[in-house]
Amino acid sequence: MHPEPAPPGQIQPAEGRPADQRFTETPPARFGSNGFGPAGAPPTGSTPWAGAWPAGKSATRTALVVLLGLAFIGLNTAIAYAAVGSKVISIVTGVAFCLVFMIVVRMLHRAMWLSLLSFLPALFVLVGSVELAPDLALEKRGVRQEVTIVDAEVAGKRHTFTLEGDDGPLGEPLIYQGSNPGYQVGDILTVLTDPDGVIALKVADRVDSTSTLGSLVLGGSGWTFIALVAGWRGHVRRREGRFDTLVI
């Protein structure tokens, strides 16, 4: 005898064994985002690091993001020190590190606002890491001397001041980028010059490694705080099955 056809919605049993009917009915409410998988499963195409994390994994990945930010700060400061005569290199690498940190915060949090907020401390990180090395070098080996501004040239926002000391004109001018330098011909300034000729001279009262270091610490503290908040909020969002959003 042949078995009778299975009624609609039922699976045909094989060799007299009862068929498993678990997936023949309508999936229960919250049974996955698209009707498949466990409740709260991420939809197809969701971003990396999706799905609920245990508390330990959230804490570990948050700590990794914090350490990544601190590593970026130390690495860019080291690059600025190695290429102390050229700020362009450390500026480029610093901008790249800041963008990578923003992306990682975005992945950890699964929303954009903390990632965008990390741009503010990133400015302190960038300025501090780029300026710390030349300031330290000028404070260590710079020659302090009193000079007089004897000539000034302006090209757009670039101001070039010719300086003269006790021994005659200096071979290196004072360069100021901006709309209001605050200097004029006849002013007497105290400057620090690099005897090796690697670092551009600077006005002495603008060479302050302590202040630059403070900017670096402030930026690093801001990044650490943002990473901790992103880790906490990301853990809650994954636990509640919330997916990527732009703002909150």
Side-chain angles (χ1 to χ4, degrees):
M1 295 179 64
H2 297 285
E4 295 182 3
Q10 299 289 318
I11 298 177
Q12 176 68 44
E15 299 180 358
R17 293 180 299 170
D20 193 341
Q21 307 296 328
R22 287 179 298 172
F23 297 101
T24 61
E25 302 297 335
T26 303
R30 290 187 54 78
F31 191 76
S33 303
N34 297 313
F36 303 96
T44 303
S46 61
T47 59
W49 290 9
W53 293 348
K57 179 180 286 189
S58 293
T60 299
R61 291 187 171 177
T62 300
L64 288 176
V65 173
V66 171
L67 292 176
L68 181 66
L70 297 179
F72 282 166
I73 293 172
L75 183 57
N76 203 60
T77 303
I79 291 173
Y81 187 82
V84 70
S86 175
K87 293 182 180 180
V88 175
I89 297 175
S90 56
I91 289 174
V92 171
T93 56
V95 169
F97 289 150
C98 291
L99 291 177
V100 171
F101 185 80
M102 292 175 67
I103 293 172
V104 174
V105 169
R106 166 72 175 79
M107 294 172 61
L108 182 65
H109 183 209
R110 306 190 76 181
M112 279 297 295
W113 70 275
L114 280 175
S115 178
L116 296 175
L117 188 62
S118 69
F119 176 76
L120 296 177
L123 293 177
F124 290 94
V125 168
L126 185 61
V127 172
S129 62
V130 170
E131 295 291 342
L132 181 61
D135 280 1
L136 284 173
L138 282 178
E139 288 179 348
K140 181 178 180 180
R141 67 172 187 250
V143 176
R144 182 181 295 266
Q145 55 184 311
E146 194 173 84
V147 297
T148 303
I149 299 178
V150 295
D151 191 19
E153 296 181 1
V154 181
K157 291 188 175 182
R158 179 185 174 90
H159 300 257
T160 304
F161 298 97
T162 302
L163 308 176
E164 183 175 322
D166 295 337
D167 298 329
L170 269 65
E172 180 182 5
L174 171 64
I175 306 297
Y176 180 89
Q177 294 283 359
S179 57
N180 185 21
Y183 308 130
Q184 58 185 357
V185 175
D187 287 351
I188 298 176
L189 307 173
T190 301
V191 298
L192 287 172
T193 59
D194 181 14
D196 296 339
V198 176
I199 306 171
L201 67 80
K202 294 180 69 174
V203 178
D205 59 9
R206 295 196 175 187
V207 179
D208 186 359
S209 62
T210 301
S211 177
T212 307
L213 181 60
S215 175
L216 203 57
V217 171
L218 184 61
S221 300
W223 268 7
T224 299
F225 177 75
I226 286 175
L228 293 175
V229 175
W232 167 59
R233 289 301 303 156
H235 176 74
V236 172
R237 290 171 62 85
R238 288 177 175 83
R239 184 183 62 193
E240 296 177 350
R242 298 169 61 188
F243 305 119
D244 295 15
T245 59
L246 179 64
V247 181
I248 59 174

